[in-house]
Amino acid sequence: MNFTRWSARLPGTQRRTAARTDAGEAHSPGAAGSVPAARGEFERHGERKGRRDGAGAGSGDGKDGTPTGVPALEELGVRDVLDGLPALVALVYGPDHRVAYVNEAYIDAFGPREAGTTAAESCPELVELGLMPLMDQVLRSGKPRTVKSRKVQSATFGTAHALANGSGTVARDGSYTVTCTPVDTSGSGGVLIFAADVTDHAEAAERLRSSERRLRETAVALQRSLLPQELEQPDDLRVAATYQPGGTDAAVGGDWYDVITLGAGRTALVIGDVMGRGVRAAAVMGQLRTAVRAYARLDLPPHEVLQLLDGLAAEIDASQIATCVYAVHDPNEGRLVYASAGHLPILVRAEDGTVARAADPTGPPLGTGGWIHTSGTIDLAPGSTAVLYTDGLVERRSEDIDEGVASLERALAGAKGSPQVVCDRLIRAMGVTAEHDDDVAVLVLQHPARTGQAAELFHNAALDLLGGIEAAPRARAFATGVLSSWRFPVELRDLGVLATSELVANSLQHGTPPMRLRLRRTDRRLIIEVTDGDDHLPLRRHAEPADEAGRGISIVATIASSWGSRRTPGGGKAVWCEFALPH
């Protein structure tokens, strides 16, 4: 941009010799070699308005076809053009950025500026906008630069603004998009500052961001309220979980996890991910988690739980699908029995550091329907650690998800410590930060290898029942000897023998071979379980005074802390009860 025709000359510039009209010469204040004057220093506001009003007066056509009273293009002064702009314009010159000119819009916004002063002294708004280094860069490079939506606090210019507009009120905070352009001033470099007021746009964008933040906070609060506030801690496992919502630019997803104690020492573990975002996904997640807990109480095999959940997911919201893994740990078997609906594989780290990946079966996600789920197994020996997780932990846009799972396997191989420590180490190893673009849920369970005094608190004993009238006395004698060896109080021992007698009698009367009695002691409870080959589950019912049967389960339910029954794989059933140990 060439400003040699600028009527207010920079130091050392020469006025261009040109024919000027009287009206045009009236726009040329100052003598040759004078310091440029700021817009408010050499002209009254009323005089400027008068000239602008007079510029359009008159009517009729000139000889060249131009309407009478309308100046020709070459007669328009640059200052008159800039004064009419709604944008803020300022001109500074020299390495110190001394003020040469500010237009009327600039004065209305920030007040008048004294000519010849440096921008650092008289223009605090330019300092707050961060333009001083930018103007240095523009002078050095000779290239324009733009910064978007920079904010100026009203305290910076409030008093000057109030004086300039005569309102006596302090200006509001303002946001400006500013372009700094180098100008040719015939030997003295300058910068033209062009600032557009985008305050309304910035405030609208901030309102939108605030609304999005409130919506996100609501979704996060809902999500966290639907997750377990405190994980159940089974006797035979140590469990920890971590949930981390995505960064502020990512909508909250529907990740969830749960730990459900099933009785008889068995534990259900579940993790899932609703494929959606925001409050809606969190609401669907809450319904699915509640349904899982209800179905788990039926003590069904994992694939049957997912089969029920699949139908429910389609009823809740046909447009929402979810992935899920449901696994059951039985301390007597030393393994996980699991079923997966489109979810990522369970990883198990053995005590020696080797990591195994759970293989198929894996069905489609919940809500798709038309699929018969099946269960699989993976070993979980003492000393092992299993990890269930959602895709946010391993999925990256730049790599295949199988590579992410492989990276997690390597991280798990070296992750030692408590379940919570393992959770934290896996999160760090996979590069998950507060700004991660997806939700992450991790559930870690350990089957501790107990030795020494801790091992003395966990015992197992089992007896095969061959049937016949001698089975019940043999079971009572066996229970008496085992419970005595475990040094239980006499009262608890007698209750345990009574419960054993009733469960065995029920199995002998209504079940079929093979029959087996199992006693198990943990650090917190005594578990008595009887299995047989009949799959009809017992029901507790009210026995009439004249009835000769039907009281066994009622007696067990009355004396025990809890009781239950389930069907066993391959046919048959198990009936169990638990007694809480005294502290």
Side-chain angles (χ1 to χ4, degrees):
M1 182 181 293
N2 193 314
F3 268 76
T4 54
R5 294 189 59 186
W6 188 271
S7 55
R9 295 172 295 107
L10 299 179
T13 61
Q14 299 296 322
R15 182 182 302 276
R16 174 177 294 182
T17 303
R20 310 286 288 178
T21 63
D22 292 340
E25 291 173 353
H27 292 294
S28 304
S34 63
V35 175
R39 186 67 188 89
E41 292 297 311
F42 56 80
E43 193 168 37
R44 304 280 302 172
H45 175 73
E47 294 172 355
R48 293 199 304 271
K49 185 176 184 302
R51 281 204 305 276
R52 287 197 300 271
D53 293 343
S59 62
D61 295 337
K63 295 181 180 180
D64 58 356
T66 303
T68 305
V70 177
L73 182 60
E74 62 270 12
E75 294 178 346
L76 290 174
V78 175
R79 181 181 285 112
D80 290 325
V81 174
L82 297 180
D83 278 343
L85 293 177
L88 283 61
V89 179
L91 179 68
V92 297
Y93 66 92
D96 296 334
H97 307 302
R98 295 187 178 276
V99 178
Y101 165 81
V102 293
N103 73 344
E104 185 175 345
Y106 195 105
I107 294 172
D108 289 342
F110 299 124
R113 296 295 179 255
E114 184 179 353
T117 58
T118 64
E121 296 173 350
S122 61
C123 302
E125 64 279 356
L126 300 184
V127 177
E128 187 170 352
L129 287 169
L131 297 185
M132 306 307 291
L134 189 67
M135 291 190 292
D136 291 336
Q137 185 181 4
V138 169
L139 280 181
R140 289 194 303 269
S141 65
K143 296 180 180 180
R145 295 288 186 271
T146 299
V147 293
K148 295 182 179 180
S149 194
R150 293 281 181 89
K151 192 171 184 179
V152 179
Q153 300 294 328
S154 60
T156 302
F157 58 94
T159 303
H161 180 85
L163 292 175
N165 62 25
S167 65
T169 60
V170 176
R172 64 172 181 169
D173 295 349
S175 296
Y176 298 89
T177 292
V178 184
T179 298
C180 294
T181 304
V183 295
D184 180 6
T185 57
S186 298
S188 180
V191 177
L192 180 70
I193 302 167
F194 184 93
D197 189 341
V198 294
T199 303
D200 291 339
H201 292 169
E203 290 178 349
E206 180 57 33
R207 287 194 296 270
L208 179 60
R209 286 192 293 269
S210 297
S211 176
E212 291 175 345
R213 283 195 297 269
R214 287 193 297 271
L215 182 62
R216 172 183 167 76
E217 290 168 359
T218 300
V220 171
L222 175 61
Q223 175 89 339
R224 292 193 181 280
S225 68
L226 295 174
L227 291 174
Q229 302 305 302
E230 185 176 352
L231 288 179
E232 297 182 28
Q233 293 295 329
D235 294 358
D236 294 275
L237 297 175
R238 292 187 295 174
V239 183
T242 294
Y243 169 73
Q244 179 171 312
T248 55
D249 294 334
V252 176
D255 294 15
W256 93 92
Y257 55 83
D258 210 345
V259 178
I260 309 163
T261 54
L262 302 177
R266 302 167 71 250
T267 305
L269 305 117
V270 60
I271 193 164
D273 184 3
V274 176
M275 295 182 182
R277 296 292 183 190
V279 175
R280 184 178 181 183
V284 172
M285 175 273 287
Q287 295 178 75
L288 291 179
R289 176 176 173 254
T290 301
V292 168
R293 294 192 70 87
Y295 294 147
R297 297 304 178 191
L298 300 176
D299 215 341
L300 300 172
H303 65 275
E304 293 188 24
V305 172
L306 290 193
Q307 206 70 48
L308 293 171
L309 205 60
D310 181 49
L312 180 65
E315 294 177 9
I316 292 175
D317 190 338
S319 64
Q320 295 272 16
I321 60 176
T323 64
C324 180
V325 167
Y326 182 88
V328 174
H329 175 257
D330 189 331
N332 298 309
E333 298 177 356
R335 62 179 182 172
L336 286 176
V337 181
Y338 68 92
S340 174
H343 205 80
L344 293 165
I346 300 172
L347 302 181
V348 176
R349 178 189 184 275
E351 194 170 16
D352 61 2
T354 58
V355 176
R357 183 187 301 193
D360 291 338
T362 299
L366 301 174
T368 55
W371 183 269
I372 304 300
H373 292 273
T374 57
S375 295
T377 62
I378 186 170
D379 291 337
L380 189 70
S384 299
T385 299
V387 178
L388 291 75
Y389 52 96
T390 57
D391 58 3
L393 183 65
V394 296
E395 189 173 30
R396 303 292 182 269
R397 295 179 183 178
S398 59
E399 63 182 23
D400 186 83
I401 195 168
D402 286 336
E403 296 179 10
V405 176
S407 297
L408 180 60
E409 287 180 338
R410 292 190 293 270
L412 178 59
K416 299 180 180 180
S418 68
Q420 189 59 59
V421 170
V422 172
C423 275
D424 297 340
R425 288 181 176 177
L426 294 181
I427 290 286
R428 290 196 301 269
M430 298 304 293
V432 177
T433 65
E435 299 303 319
H436 192 59
D437 61 358
D438 196 5
D439 290 32
V440 174
V442 182
L443 178 62
V444 174
L445 56 140
Q446 291 180 344
H447 185 187
R450 296 181 175 90
T451 58
Q453 185 176 1
E456 291 299 317
L457 298 177
F458 292 80
H459 294 283
N460 283 284
L463 174 68
D464 291 325
L465 303 175
L466 301 179
I469 59 173
E470 74 282 358
R474 288 184 63 238
R476 287 193 293 271
F478 177 78
T480 302
V482 169
L483 299 182
S484 297
S485 69
W486 290 349
R487 299 179 182 178
F488 284 150
V490 174
E491 182 181 357
L492 179 59
R493 182 185 64 198
D494 291 344
L495 290 175
V497 171
L498 176 58
T500 299
S501 178
E502 295 298 335
L503 292 180
V504 170
N506 182 80
S507 182
L508 290 172
Q509 182 174 358
H510 301 288
T512 59
M515 301 178 186
R516 184 177 178 85
L517 168 65
R518 177 183 287 126
L519 304 178
R520 177 170 174 77
R521 174 200 172 141
T522 72
D523 58 344
R524 287 182 281 181
R525 70 198 78 215
L526 165 66
I527 301 167
I528 303 171
E529 183 178 69
V530 176
T531 60
D532 63 53
D534 184 82
D535 60 1
H536 290 87
L537 300 181
L539 297 175
R540 182 181 181 183
R541 66 183 181 87
H542 177 71
E544 297 296 334
D547 291 344
E548 296 182 359
R551 294 181 175 83
I553 295 299
S554 294
I555 293 174
V556 170
T558 301
I559 64 176
S561 303
S562 61
W563 78 280
S565 61
R566 71 179 188 280
R567 291 186 173 90
T568 55
K573 67 176 179 293
V575 185
W576 55 268
C577 67
E578 295 181 349
F579 293 88
L581 299 185
H583 297 291

